[in-house]
Structure formats: structure tokens, C-alpha cells
Amino acid sequence: MFKKFTNGCVKLVQKFLPDAFVFCIILTIIVFIAAIPVTGMNPIEVANAWGSGVWGLLLFSMQMALVLVLGSALANAPAIKKVIVVLAGVPKKPVSAIAFVTIVAAICNFINWGFGLIIGALLAKEVAKKVKGVDYRLIIAAAYSGFVIWHSGISGSIPLGLTSLGADGAVANTGGVVTEVVPTSATIFAPWNLIMIVVVVVVVAVINAWMHPEPKNVISIDPKLLTEEKIEYPKPSTPAEKLENSMILSYIVVLLGAVYLVYYFINAGSILNALSLNIVNLIFLVLGIAFHKTPIGYVRAITEAASSAGGIILQFPFYAGIQGIMTTAGATGVSLAGAISTAFVSISTPRTFPVLCYLAAGVVNFFVPSGGGQWAVQGPIMMPAGLQLGVSPAVTAMGIAWGDAWTNMLQPFWALPALGIAGLGARDIMGYCAIVLIVSGIITALGFLFLVPLFA
């Protein structure tokens, strides 16, 4: 029965889910139309809101592109690739391979979402070479399913945003009600958050393994098609080429970065309380240079990784435009995002507010699939409401963060890098991800309803 349901979801998604960019355009049209009756704006005013917002996420777009590119470059370092080959030899059967890839990808996504997306896809490809009879679509979907917990991890833009009070920090995105930093020990590393992560990852790994098709329905791939050509570069001969291949130059930069990071964390007093999006990116930059050893080696890795950021570059302006429409208030004084969030707040109690905040974030994420963008939309509405109900800022913020990550299982935007590595389309994996959406949604909603009150 379960596999029949899974097969039905896969066929449905393959038939109706468009390309990620087309999906983005359709969302723009839906938001445009919905904003007119809800906000009282006329079409020209809505168009103006869209155009005014198109370039509103440039800073954040660059940060997100760097998260992806720096994480990708590190994942493609020779030493890291050797680890991937070793890891790929662990599972021996298709079912265990699916569960193994899910867990490893989730761990990597907890560390850094860009790193996790790439490591997960590379590991899935390597496992597909070694484990006979594994379904290629499902193992790539399993790699992407680890992304469901990314925003509760240490590269999550919402919990990291609360660690500062700057223009993009706690005060700006909470309606001014949060005037002190919220450390990651109260968000990412809170006991209830870590428990939910473990439960979600374990259950999703089991569900993914359970979805593996019967042998007659497996779609596998010839391992020869997954073999990458090794590019042989000539030995450096000219002074310029020797400089490009100088490990000394690379390790001067590594030393400089390491000294700064040590100094930064010593002055911060606690690693848990000092992580920010920029610091996470700097750590991966320094590690990437160290693992690639030479300046030209890292240049080549970054150049290759940059192609995976194409989706961010193309689609972020459109999602920023959607955000512009959703956050602009019309003559009624109500914005579309505000109306969605307020509808959930209006039926909330102190006990139900975190889970309703999570569900609201899941809905908004379809239209603003950027953690930072969503935080800018929902933070000023949800944070004051949460405080009024007696819910801690950390819990409210993590409700938004979990909701943002949850519906990415049906939002193809963030799957683009993994799909590019795998050579698949969104339709190939999103049917499986729809099952992950349902299962992880139930677990997380129950967690916010029953687990969080025990700790928060």
C-alpha cells in the first residue's frame, strides 16, 4: 500500500511539476493576483511593489551564493572526495544505501547547507556506482531529503541572524521587540531542537529506504556514465605558473584566516554564541583554500562550483519581487504576508503558537524560498505576536526556520545544485520528496506542540 502511494506521488509530480524557474514565474502570477483583493492595491501598485522589491535581496543573494559555492568547492577538494569514495563503500545493499545517504547528507546539511547539498549528491552518485540495483532517482532524492533540517543547523540564516543587532539582525527583523542577541545555544543547540533533528533524520532515513522500488521497477544507471574524466594540467614551468601553484601563498592566506578566526572566537567568548552567516562562510573559505592547497587549484574549484549558483542568480530577483509584493501594504494597511501570518496568529494560544508559526512559515516558503527573505517577511509579524503570547523569541524564530526548510521538499529551487550534479530534473525526485514532506511535517508539528513546551 505504501509503495503504491509513493508510486502515485512520483507519477503525479513527474506529470505536473514544471521547471524551477517556471514554478517561480507561476508563483509570481499567483501572488500578484492574490495581493489585489487582500491588500486593496490596484494592478499598477502591485507591479510597482514587485519592481521595487526585485533588487531587495542582493546582499543576501551574494551571501547565499557564497554559502553554496564555498561549500561546493570544499566538497570537491581531492581529500574530501577520497573520504566520499570510502564512505560510499559502507552500504552493500540498495535499502541500506538509501538510508546511509540520507543520514550522511543530513549531517552535512546540519554543518552547512551548501556543503550538504553537494556532499549528498556526490555521495549518492558514488554509491550508485558501487551498489548494484539501487534506484538512481530515489538515492538522489534521499541525498536532497537531508536538506529538510538545514535551517535548524549551524548555517541557518534565521538563528544566525539573531546573533547580531545590525541592519540585518534581531532588531531589524523582529519589529524592534527583540533588543538583545539570541545565542545559538538557545536556538540551534537547544536540547529540543537537537532531539527533533535526530528524530526527523532517523525516521526520514527509514521512510526513504522503505520507498525503494521492487527490483522490476528500479531505474538504475550504468556506472560508466557516472565516471568523471580527470583533467591533467601541465607541470608549472613559467614564474607565473609557479606562483599559481605555490602552496606557500595559499597557506599564508590560511594562516591569516585562522589567526582572525581564533582571535574572533576568543573575543566572542563562546563558539556557539559567535556563529554568523559571514563567519560560517569565512570558515569554509579558509578550509577550501587549505584543502585545495594551491591558489590555482582553488580558483578552478570555485569556477566549477560557481555554475551551480546559476539558479540563485536567476531566481532570487524574482523571489525578491514576490517578497516585495507580499510585504507591501495597500490602502487597507495589510500586506499579503501579514494577512497569512495574522490569520495563523489569530487562532493561536501560547501552546499552539509555535506549531502554527511553523505551518505559516511552510506556506510562505513556497513564495519566498529564502530563509533570510522569509525572516524579513515574517519576523516583524511573528516575533511581536509570540512575545505577546509569552513565547520565547528563540522558539518563534526556530518555528519559522523549521517551516522554511520543511516545504523545500516540494519547492524545487534548492534542489538545483544536486540535480545538476546528478543529471536529473526536479520531476525525477520530487515525488519521493513529497513523502518526506508529509512525514517530516507531522514529526516537526508534533515536536513543536508537545516537545518544545517541555524545554522552552
Side-chain angles (χ1 to χ4, degrees):
M1 179 63 74
F2 177 73
K3 289 190 177 180
K4 286 183 179 179
F5 178 66
T6 300
N7 291 335
C9 287
V10 170
K11 291 178 181 178
L12 189 67
V13 169
Q14 286 180 331
K15 190 174 183 179
F16 292 105
L17 184 70
D19 179 82
F21 182 52
V22 175
F23 186 77
C24 173
I25 294 173
I26 291 172
L27 288 179
T28 301
I29 296 170
I30 292 172
V31 172
F32 189 99
I33 295 171
I36 295 173
V38 173
T39 66
M41 291 188 289
N42 60 47
I44 294 177
E45 290 173 325
V46 178
N48 184 62
W50 178 83
S52 299
V54 162
W55 307 119
L57 291 176
L58 285 180
L59 172 60
F60 184 71
S61 298
M62 185 60 177
Q63 288 176 317
M64 290 296 99
L66 282 174
V67 168
L68 179 56
V69 171
L70 297 177
S72 301
L74 178 59
N76 280 299
I80 301 296
K81 281 189 173 182
K82 288 180 181 178
V83 173
I84 291 174
V85 171
V86 172
L87 287 174
V90 173
K92 304 301 180 184
K93 296 182 179 180
V95 170
S96 61
I98 299 296
F100 181 75
V101 167
T102 303
I103 292 171
V104 173
I107 292 171
C108 293
N109 271 288
F110 179 82
I111 297 170
N112 175 277
W113 67 264
F115 184 66
L117 280 176
I118 305 307
I119 285 289
L122 291 174
L123 176 62
K125 282 184 66 175
E126 196 63 36
V127 170
K129 293 180 190 177
K130 296 188 174 186
V131 180
K132 187 177 180 180
V134 69
D135 191 276
Y136 189 60
R137 303 163 305 166
L138 179 56
I139 201 165
I140 298 300
Y144 180 61
S145 69
F147 193 61
V148 75
I149 58 97
W150 85 270
H151 217 150
S152 56
I154 60 177
S155 65
S157 52
I158 291 176
L160 293 183
L162 287 171
T163 62
S164 70
L165 298 175
D168 297 319
V171 174
N173 291 323
T174 63
V177 298
V178 177
T179 56
E180 296 180 355
V181 298
V182 179
T184 54
S185 56
T187 53
I188 297 169
F189 297 100
W192 59 265
N193 186 57
L194 296 177
I195 291 172
M196 285 210 309
I197 288 172
V198 171
V199 173
V200 167
V201 171
V202 170
V203 174
V204 167
V206 171
I207 291 295
N208 281 343
W210 198 11
M211 284 193 286
H212 196 273
E214 298 296 333
K216 63 180 180 180
N217 296 322
V218 167
I219 295 180
S220 56
I221 191 168
D222 186 345
K224 294 179 182 178
L225 298 177
L226 300 177
T227 302
E228 298 176 1
E229 289 186 16
K230 279 189 176 182
I231 301 175
E232 296 291 339
Y233 295 100
K235 291 183 179 181
S237 57
T238 67
E241 290 173 345
K242 289 179 180 180
L243 281 174
E244 292 171 349
N245 286 275
S246 170
M247 292 175 61
I248 295 175
L249 291 179
S250 285
Y251 285 108
I252 287 175
V253 177
V254 171
L255 179 62
L256 178 64
V259 168
Y260 170 77
L261 288 169
V262 170
Y263 178 80
Y264 173 83
F265 284 118
I266 289 175
N267 281 284
S270 169
I271 292 178
L272 300 187
N273 297 345
L275 287 171
S276 67
L277 199 56
N278 287 336
I279 288 298
V280 169
N281 275 339
L282 180 58
I283 291 171
F284 276 80
L285 173 64
V286 173
L287 287 175
I289 294 173
F291 275 103
H292 281 281
K293 298 181 181 180
T294 66
I296 195 64
Y298 195 57
V299 166
R300 289 166 183 153
I302 289 292
T303 301
E304 182 179 348
S307 62
S308 65
I312 294 177
I313 295 169
L314 172 61
Q315 294 179 45
F316 254 57
F318 285 87
Y319 282 112
I322 291 173
Q323 178 178 309
I325 296 174
M326 293 197 68
T327 56
T328 300
T332 61
V334 177
S335 69
L336 186 55
I340 294 172
S341 299
T342 301
F344 280 91
V345 169
S346 66
I347 58 174
S348 298
T349 65
R351 180 65 178 268
T352 62
F353 181 77
V355 68
L356 290 174
C357 182
Y358 164 73
L359 295 174
V363 173
V364 173
N365 180 58
F366 277 111
F367 306 98
V368 187
S370 147
Q374 183 156 351
W375 179 231
V377 169
Q378 288 194 276
I381 298 165
M382 292 300 198
M383 297 299 280
L387 283 175
Q388 190 173 356
L389 289 169
V391 180
S392 75
V395 171
T396 301
M398 291 307 286
I400 299 172
W402 271 96
D404 168 76
W406 169 47
T407 47
N408 281 330
M409 291 300 99
L410 269 189
Q411 200 349 320
F413 179 63
W414 295 112
L416 295 176
L419 293 171
I421 290 171
L424 296 177
R427 286 186 288 268
D428 295 315
I429 71 167
M430 284 299 166
Y432 297 112
C433 292
I435 305 298
V436 175
L437 174 91
I438 296 169
V439 172
S440 63
I442 292 171
I443 295 171
T444 312
L446 291 175
F448 275 109
L449 194 58
F450 298 108
L451 178 65
V452 172
L454 296 177
F455 293 91

